[in-house]
Amino acid sequence: MLNNTEIFIDSIQNPKYQEIFKKADVDFTKYNKRQAIVGNLMLADYMGISIDELLHGDLFYYGDHGKPFLKSKQFQYNISNSYDLVILAVSDQEVGVDIEKLRPFTYKRITRAFTDNELNYLSNLDESVEGDETLKLWTIKEAALKLVGTGLSGKVKSVDIDVDTKESAKRLDRKIKLTDIEVADGYVGTLATYDD
């Protein structure tokens, strides 16, 4: 548990999901549908309800950019996925979460996402860690934008990360607290909550 937030992580490779995937006729060469199914099943399990009630009940309302919220306001939640893993964050406060699988990557592919300060930080890193740090900063930006409810439509560059600590960021003068999540080997993750 982090900051009154519970974190649940599961894999789309978990044997308990395979029959469900077959019944849903998923394309096993793609991740998206399997990730969505696992995320929904994790949330339904947390709530103690059936997947049918989760998907077809009238439990949610949606923010301006499509972020789901429970009508009951029983708790706040956010889901993220990357490759094999799905993460669910459940909290008593608004929350955003993002995970990324570490892989060869360079900030030069997405320079428009970063502020000048962030670009300076990334450009001064040793090449051996640049890719992992780029993906870490990306999880921070995406978790922050999921927290505010805009997702990637909220202009990634609008999130200004304190690169010295990676414990806070600002977006439109709102301070965001960042918590590093130990996801699994080969993954990075960030939990974002408001810091006010």
Side-chain angles (χ1 to χ4, degrees), residues 57-69:
D58 187 24
L59 303 176
F60 302 96
Y61 70 92
Y62 296 87
D64 293 343
H65 298 276
K67 181 178 179 178
F69 296 91

Side-chain angles (χ1 to χ4, degrees), residues 12 21-22 24-35 37:
I12 63 172
F21 295 156
K22 287 177 189 167
D25 196 28
V26 301
D27 179 347
F28 279 84
T29 65
K30 297 192 166 65
Y31 290 92
N32 295 20
K33 191 165 185 183
R34 290 183 291 161
Q35 292 166 336
I37 289 170

Side-chain angles (χ1 to χ4, degrees), residues 10 21 48 57 122 142 162 166 193:
D10 209 342
F21 295 156
L122 291 168
E142 192 161 350
D162 176 351
K166 294 183 215 78
T193 53

